[in-house]
Amino acid sequence: MQRGRGKAEKRSRQGRQWRSVCKGLVLGTLLTSCMILLYCLSTPQTHFSLPEVPVPYSCAHRPSQLRSKQTTNRSEQASGQTCTPKVDIMFMKTHKTASSTFLNILFRFGEKHRLKFAFPDSRNDFFYPSVFQRSQVKDYRPGMCFNIICNHLRFNAPEVAKLLPMDTSYITILRDPAELFESSFHYFGKLHFEESLILLKDALCWEMDDVLFFKLNARKGSTVSKLTPELRAKALEWNAIDWKLYQHLNQTFWKKVDAYGRQRMAEDVAELRRRNAEMASICIEGGRAVEAGSIQETAMQPWQPIGEKSIMGYNLKKNVDKAHRKLCRKMLMPELQYLTELGVNLWITKLWGHVRDIINW
Ligand SMILES: *[C@@H]1O[C@H](CO)[C@@H](O)[C@H](O)[C@H]1NC(C)=O
Ligand SMILES: *[C@@H]1O[C@H](CO)[C@@H](O)[C@H](O)[C@H]1NC(C)=O
């Protein structure tokens, strides 16, 4: 009797499960079709030509804001040099190169100086991999002043030049191309990310506060796979042009470090690390990144690649003092949430995310 009832229950439970799986499949298929349709419709098919109104030389709206370069008590800087923080920036986002971390720095800098971002409309990239057109910029009108463009795009120099002012600084992050084939977990060390930030801060006349960061979008460590020397050689052969470019920029990078001063660089990197560690102890629960499943707030959940849950994130500490609360939240905020906060409507990206959730991809 008991066993009979158990079997019936089991059967009806299985039936329910089947029905919900079927429902999920039908709904998933329907939504995916809708998505594909909308995606196609939202891709601009024609690029009507826009009138060419020249952009001003600079879009810095407070040119009087000179800043003494005395951010540290260094004697060589205390000689009364002044500079204006550079605010016009084109950042070319690349894969697996700490771009998300750098984007967070740019978002914060943009908010601090009330800069105008050239954002995409309804999604988080400029129709990558199709070639960038300025008509893809949200609310674009010819002659408008934009300060920063940093979302993923396929570079198109003439179009970018017609969007951003003449004094724009063009920035990107490069990695050893062979290492792009390996895991991206340890990439911060290989990139000399901190040294690069110090050079950037110096070149753009920014402050140390501007370049503080937490590693965003780091992957779980388990996927590390080292290339054999033979495979590495093959990878470099396949990517010969990237390899040449990387070697060239590696050389100019170290020349710049020498010009900056090795000792001075070492001190500044140590200072940056000290400040980052200080911020981590103020902001981060447990002081380190955790796996997606252990992140309590959805606002702090990073976007995951399809079929994986490998991207780590953070829990914001509960009782951060008032002075740091806002900064902590911003420094920890994943890219999509920050874009939304900056006013980008991401309905295509989000709908895609919901579809993936429903079909449990
Ligand atoms: C700069 O010098 C002042 C006074 O000597 C000191 O209080 C301050 O902590 C120093 N700042 C830094 C960043 O070293
Ligand atoms: C980059 O440059 C440094 C200094 O010149 C050199 O030691 C290093 O081997 C170079 N790395 C690559 C990958 O070329």
Side-chain angles (χ1 to χ4, degrees), residues 49-55 134 140 142-143 158-159 162:
S49 62
L50 289 161
E52 304 215 347
V53 182
V55 189
R134 81 211 124 105
Y140 174 77
E159 279 294 302
K162 284 175 209 157

Side-chain angles (χ1 to χ4, degrees), residues 71-73 271:
T71 43
T72 54
N73 289 351
E271 166 78 3

Side-chain angles (χ1 to χ4, degrees), residues 127-146:
F127 297 95
Y128 187 83
S130 63
V131 175
F132 175 74
Q133 302 289 335
R134 81 211 124 105
S135 57
Q136 293 161 354
V137 172
K138 183 169 174 274
D139 303 328
Y140 174 77
R141 272 175 287 112
M144 254 174 108
C145 242
F146 287 101

Side-chain angles (χ1 to χ4, degrees), residues 151-210:
N151 291 72
H152 216 89
L153 57 79
R154 178 132 163 226
F155 191 59
N156 182 2
E159 279 294 302
V160 173
K162 284 175 209 157
L163 176 79
L164 294 177
M166 293 274 282
D167 76 340
T168 297
S169 306
Y170 287 73
I171 300 170
T172 193
I173 306 176
L174 285 189
R175 260 182 101 187
D176 179 335
E179 277 158 15
L180 285 171
F181 287 81
E182 296 171 6
S183 154
S184 55
F185 189 69
H186 297 290
Y187 60 66
F188 276 82
K190 291 167 186 166
L191 276 172
H192 296 287
F193 190 67
E194 284 136 335
E195 286 87 345
S196 303
L197 284 180
I198 298 294
L199 288 180
L200 185 88
K201 159 187 165 304
D202 190 58
L204 302 188
C205 182
W206 288 12
E207 295 173 359
M208 190 63 99
D209 276 352
D210 298 329

